Amino acid sequence: MSAEAADRVAAVTSSRPGTPLQTSWFEFLLDDSLLEKHLQKSNPDPAPVQLIIQFLEQASKPSVNEQNQVQPPADNRRNRTLKLLALKVAAHMKWDLEVLEKGLTIPVLNMLLNELLCVSKVPPGVKHVDLDLSTLPPTTAMAVIIYNRWAIRTIVLSSFPEKQTKPGPHQINIVLEGAVRLKKDFYVHTMRTLDLLAADTAANGETESSTAGLRISADELHCQVHYDLGGIFFHQGCTDLPIYEKARDHFRQTKELLKKVIIFYHSFIHVHLDEKRLAGYWNACRALTGDCDPSDPQTTPYDQINSLIRAHNYPAVIEAFIKDNISRSLPNHFRRSVLREFLYKVQQGESGLDEVCHKLCVCNAVRDTLEGEILSVRFQQLLLKPSKQVVDFILEVCTRSLEKDRPSEASRRNMANFLKTLCESLEDLSLVFVVSSHKLFMELLKEEERKVLVEQMRKRSATINLSAKPLPSFYDIPASASVNIGQLEQQLILSLEPRRIRQILIELHGLAERPFWRVNSKWEVPPDYINVILGIKDNLTKDLVYILMAKGLHCISIKDFAHARQLFSACLELVTEFSPKLRQVMLNEILLLEVRAHEAMAAEGSKERPPPDLVSRVRGYLEMRIHDLPLRQVVGEECVAFMLNWRENDYLTLQVSPSLVMNNPYIKLGQLLASTCKELPGPKESRRTAKELWDVVVQICSISIQHKRNSDGRIGLIKQRESSMGILHRYDEPLVLTTLISLFVRLHSIVRHEKLNVPICVLSSIQAVDVEAVAVTVKELVSYALTLNPNNQSWLITQADIYFVTNQYSAALNLYLQAGAVCSDFFTKAVPPDIYTDQVLKRMIKCCSMLNCHTQVAVLCQFLREVDYMTAFKALQEQNSHDAMDSFYDYIWDVTILEYLTHIHHKRGETEKRQIAIKAIGQTELNTSNPEEVLQLAAQKRKKRFLQAMAKLYF
């Protein structure tokens, strides 16, 4: 490969930062000892989970027979060895499902564990529920247990907390319930036992003995299995409440075995569970089953609260919350969840709970105050029109929450600020007097602070009295307040600080009841979300959610990602209190924000790869299956583009489940693009994938008979191009862009000019293609690509072709020359023939001809593989030429053309020009008797000088 060719390949295949050389997967096939050495490194590259992915990907590649038909992966020695290598890596990781689940997607892990079942000689054709684990060899039984543990964990971890329409299968628990009845130790495959399995001599030998493999004590395995069983039963409990009792029993045994393992083994090597999650499961099960006694000294505060709620002892719940303001043993999220539970009961029609909700809200507000947190929107709403009983209760809770020997200075100052805010929020002066005359108020606020606050109250009282004139019934707010509303609305439009936005809205709702989300016509939220947001019953919350989201989206559009994060975070915190659906919507929008922020950094030159957490969240979105959730098309588009841009091709080609590909068109398009780009070096392998990609793109660009016609009667797809172009404008990986551009250019050529030269089967599939839509797509796609890399020769040629077919000859010639310049150091080297092909040269000739630059036409005719004398002679016959004519004669090296020039000028009597042509033909280096090398050197020298002269004219 020449240096120029190497440079071109590098330019096409590199856009993201280079990574250090890794050990390639095939090297492990060549050296049996390399894998163990590699895994013993402190930070092996590739990492173990990446090795598993590579081994299984190579082992599962389909083959293509002589008839070009795709066949299943061959069962040969190479593929069997690759699968064994993947198993050995997992054995090195001690079959830690927690680590494997984080690094591998469900399809890949399923493939790995199925291979484990095969090598462990699990009887084929027999259901796992029909197996007697006690009769199986130890490693075989353990393989069945690992697979079923993973199946249960996958159901639990990939579930969304919603009530199922149908109960899940219960048979999946049977195998693991049988495992906990076995009282013997267990053994799992190691790298050594897997090597023995690969040898023919080990068919019935050491690997099936009771001591083969890594020993796992019965207590350790039972602890892990009880935890997994508890998780699946807890998951199934939402459709069958008594099942929570089974979950509770399994979690109880998990806790007991965990203590036993620590006592006897001092640590737990083979137990991998989340102890905080276990504690949460345990508390939840006890609350749901009523298995707790408030008088029991071992009862946790959670249990006590839940027992009181079940007993409908609501005064005791409120009392417990007040006492907790001093002890602060209950986390804030638990206290808020209790309030949400009561609010939900009110929404379901339970009477008599409004007062309980108000009091719990007050208790939580005082707790937030003591910890310096922001007051909730719900409490702010409570202060809009409170009764004297509510104010009295607020003061009671404040007083009792400071009942300690020596409350901290921070707590006292926070409480003083709270009482000042309370006074400023109350409209009724009699209620203000109740607060300002209270003992706690007098103790916490200094005399000077009290005087300033009282003066403010007097001024506000005077303003209210002056504006309290009789008004027509048409108005429902005082005239002076309208000025205040206008000022507040202006502040609302300008503010980007979530706390300030919320405070302004609270003040506005205190002055007037109307939808303030309509204040600014430029505030827009996606149509997909509008119904959910406008369905919020509380008007203040509705306004706040709408405005926070609209402002956040605007900040993203102007790349102000810092403010967008603040606005979206505040919106997420708000909706989490009352709507799981809106919470997921905001999580999706925050994901889109982070994707765009990272891509913006990359566009500015950052070479930092996206953090693993962001890649994991993108995968989670693409795999998300939540019913009745509004999804924005652009989020899916950009997630797929993100994966392609950062070359996560393994995920798109191997790890995405078939159901996701079928149900999500963006994943389908991304998978086909990834597969095509990945298999480009092998055209036979990529032919089938490329054909599928072609069919998908043709379908995207086709006009449906269901599309409505425009006013002129023409079916219009182009109006929707912003949607169809969305995903295309997010790709910035060169190989992906080059593939797309090549595909659309070919499609454009067929639908415009070449229908007579394509097969009938292809012609039938493109009959409905919208020509205008394809043309616009090609133009926008190439323009976008050139903004990322203005020196890509292939893209420059394509852009020139676009100008050429639209009769913009000067612009086309400019770009053809640019393409040649960037790959030849401004024509100091020869332009590679794969850039200036005969087709490109003929288009350059046509451009010069249409610009009446006929001498340039004649010179370019020499560049063709076979000199086009007919076109050159015809051009030289033209007398109305707009170029410098005889000044270009020095660039002609073909003697035949120079002789014809001499003849033309003699015939016309143009003596001076004839002499210039004779001088050119008389140069010794053009003598036809010279060696071929000399003639070629003369031609190359004149080519370079001519192209440099052309560049000066057209650049």
Side-chain angles (χ1 to χ4, degrees), residues 690-894:
K691 175 65 170 61
E692 288 184 30
L693 179 60
W694 170 270
D695 292 339
V696 168
V697 171
V698 168
Q699 184 180 4
I700 290 172
C701 296
S702 297
I703 308 169
S704 169
I705 58 172
Q706 297 176 356
H707 279 140
K708 295 182 179 179
R709 294 184 176 269
N710 297 330
S711 57
D712 60 357
R714 185 176 62 85
I715 298 177
L717 179 67
I718 202 64
K719 286 188 176 181
Q720 286 79 33
R721 79 171 187 272
E722 186 175 325
S723 171
S724 63
M725 284 295 297
I727 189 171
L728 304 181
H729 270 178
R730 293 298 171 185
Y731 296 137
D732 55 13
E733 209 285 325
L735 193 56
V736 175
L737 276 172
T738 301
T739 302
L740 279 171
I741 291 170
S742 173
L743 192 153
F744 274 99
V745 167
R746 176 60 177 155
L747 179 59
H748 186 248
S749 300
I750 291 176
V751 297
R752 279 181 63 91
H753 304 299
E754 301 175 13
K755 289 185 179 179
L756 296 177
N757 301 323
V758 297
I760 296 296
C761 59
V762 175
L763 185 61
S764 62
S765 67
I766 63 170
Q767 290 293 339
V769 168
D770 186 326
V771 180
E772 187 182 355
V774 175
V776 172
T777 301
V778 171
K779 184 176 179 180
E780 293 190 8
L781 189 55
V782 177
S783 298
Y784 169 68
L786 287 172
T787 64
L788 300 174
N789 184 1
N791 294 327
N792 186 296
Q793 306 98 285
S794 172
W795 299 346
L796 285 167
I797 292 288
T798 304
Q799 182 74 298
D801 289 341
I802 293 171
Y803 284 132
F804 180 84
V805 298
T806 54
N807 303 328
Q808 300 178 66
Y809 299 112
S810 179
L813 192 54
N814 174 289
L815 285 164
Y816 285 133
L817 289 168
Q818 278 192 50
V822 297
C823 64
S824 62
D825 290 344
F826 199 75
F827 303 119
T828 58
K829 302 175 183 176
V831 178
D834 59 338
I835 300 298
Y836 276 179
T837 63
D838 271 9
Q839 182 186 27
V840 169
L841 290 168
K842 287 178 181 179
R843 291 190 169 187
M844 292 173 71
I845 290 169
K846 175 72 177 293
C847 289
C848 292
S849 177
M850 298 304 294
L851 295 170
N852 286 329
C853 298
H854 302 298
T855 314
Q856 296 171 14
V857 170
V859 177
L860 283 170
C861 285
Q862 303 172 109
F863 283 59
L864 298 168
R865 291 185 182 179
E866 294 185 6
V867 180
D868 187 354
Y869 291 112
M870 185 74 70
T871 302
F873 293 166
K874 185 177 179 182
L876 293 174
Q877 289 173 8
E878 297 285 346
Q879 290 184 291
N880 184 25
S881 185
H882 293 172
D883 56 19
M885 296 184 68
D886 51 320
S887 66
F888 286 102
Y889 291 177
D890 277 345
Y891 306 130
I892 300 175
W893 64 88
D894 188 277

Side-chain angles (χ1 to χ4, degrees), residues 302 330-340 364 367:
Y302 299 96
L330 292 173
N332 280 330
H333 64 81
F334 175 75
R335 293 171 61 114
R336 294 185 190 117
S337 71
V338 172
L339 174 57
R340 283 198 296 271
N364 286 347
R367 168 70 176 271

Side-chain angles (χ1 to χ4, degrees), residues 379-392 394-395 418-437 441 453 456-458 460-461 464 503 506 510:
F379 180 72
Q380 301 272 14
Q381 291 171 311
L382 184 61
L383 295 183
L384 292 176
K385 294 179 181 178
S387 63
K388 184 177 182 301
Q389 288 76 13
V390 169
V391 174
D392 287 339
I394 293 174
L395 294 171
F418 174 77
L419 293 175
K420 286 171 63 178
T421 302
L422 182 60
C423 286
E424 292 168 352
S425 302
L426 295 172
E427 293 288 343
D428 189 337
L429 291 179
S430 64
L431 295 179
V432 175
F433 178 76
V434 170
V435 176
S436 61
S437 60
F441 183 90
L453 189 60
Q456 289 176 349
M457 297 300 105
R458 284 176 180 170
R460 192 176 70 180
S461 173
I464 294 172
Q503 185 61 40
I506 290 170

Side-chain angles (χ1 to χ4, degrees), residues 533-604:
I533 295 175
L534 296 186
I536 298 173
K537 293 180 180 179
D538 180 75
N539 292 329
L540 174 58
T541 306
K542 182 193 303 177
D543 286 345
L544 188 53
V545 171
Y546 188 100
I547 294 171
L548 288 174
M549 181 180 285
K551 283 178 175 282
L553 292 170
H554 171 71
C555 288
I556 293 174
S557 70
I558 61 173
K559 297 187 178 180
D560 182 1
F561 299 113
H563 277 117
R565 287 189 182 95
Q566 292 176 11
L567 292 160
F568 277 1
S569 296
C571 193
L572 174 64
E573 182 181 356
L574 174 64
V575 300
T576 298
E577 291 189 4
F578 64 89
S579 175
K581 185 181 293 185
L582 275 174
R583 177 181 181 275
Q584 189 60 53
V585 163
M586 287 312 305
L587 289 173
N588 295 345
E589 289 299 317
I590 290 172
L591 173 61
L592 180 59
L593 159 65
E594 297 301 339
V595 167
R596 286 188 172 174
H598 199 277
E599 291 300 324
M601 289 170 54
E604 292 170 1

Side-chain angles (χ1 to χ4, degrees), residues 263-442:
I263 292 172
F264 286 96
Y265 302 96
H266 306 294
S267 64
F268 36 91
I269 300 173
H270 303 295
V271 178
H272 304 284
L273 53 82
D274 186 337
E275 292 189 64
K276 289 185 178 179
R277 193 179 181 92
L278 173 61
Y281 273 138
W282 175 244
N283 290 329
C285 287
R286 295 187 71 188
L288 290 165
T289 58
D291 181 27
C292 51
D293 181 1
S295 61
D296 185 353
Q298 298 296 321
T299 301
T300 65
Y302 299 96
D303 297 331
Q304 293 173 353
I305 296 293
N306 287 315
S307 296
L308 295 172
I309 292 174
R310 276 195 307 276
H312 301 285
N313 190 354
Y314 303 139
V317 174
I318 296 165
E319 183 66 22
F321 269 48
I322 296 173
K323 290 179 178 178
D324 183 66
N325 283 350
I326 299 173
S327 63
R328 303 183 193 179
S329 58
L330 292 173
N332 280 330
H333 64 81
F334 175 75
R335 293 171 61 114
R336 294 185 190 117
S337 71
V338 172
L339 174 57
R340 283 198 296 271
E341 183 178 342
F342 278 98
L343 290 170
Y344 178 75
K345 290 180 178 181
V346 171
Q347 290 180 352
Q348 297 302 307
E350 286 194 37
S351 58
L353 293 181
D354 287 330
E355 184 181 354
V356 176
C357 292
H358 292 163
K359 290 186 174 182
L360 289 176
C361 183
V362 169
C363 292
N364 286 347
V366 174
R367 168 70 176 271
D368 290 337
T369 295
L370 293 170
E371 296 184 345
E373 298 291 332
I374 302 170
L375 297 175
S376 69
V377 174
R378 195 168 301 282
F379 180 72
Q380 301 272 14
Q381 291 171 311
L382 184 61
L383 295 183
L384 292 176
K385 294 179 181 178
S387 63
K388 184 177 182 301
Q389 288 76 13
V390 169
V391 174
D392 287 339
F393 183 74
I394 293 174
L395 294 171
E396 178 192 347
V397 175
C398 291
T399 303
R400 293 183 59 189
S401 298
L402 282 179
E403 282 182 356
K404 292 196 294 185
D405 294 337
R406 291 181 180 177
S408 69
E409 185 59 33
S411 297
R412 291 174 61 85
R413 178 48 50 190
N414 288 338
M415 187 63 77
N417 291 333
F418 174 77
L419 293 175
K420 286 171 63 178
T421 302
L422 182 60
C423 286
E424 292 168 352
S425 302
L426 295 172
E427 293 288 343
D428 189 337
L429 291 179
S430 64
L431 295 179
V432 175
F433 178 76
V434 170
V435 176
S436 61
S437 60
H438 194 273
K439 178 183 177 182
L440 185 64
F441 183 90
M442 306 293 285

Side-chain angles (χ1 to χ4, degrees), residues 427 429 457 459-469 478 480:
E427 293 288 343
L429 291 179
M457 297 300 105
K459 288 180 179 179
R460 192 176 70 180
S461 173
T463 303
I464 294 172
N465 290 334
L466 286 172
S467 64
K469 300 176 181 178
S480 62

Side-chain angles (χ1 to χ4, degrees), residues 64-71 683-685 687-688:
V64 180
N65 62 16
E66 295 179 354
Q67 289 76 35
N68 199 33
Q69 296 173 329
V70 179
Q71 303 294 318
K684 285 187 178 180
E685 295 180 71
R687 191 171 299 161
R688 177 172 172 270

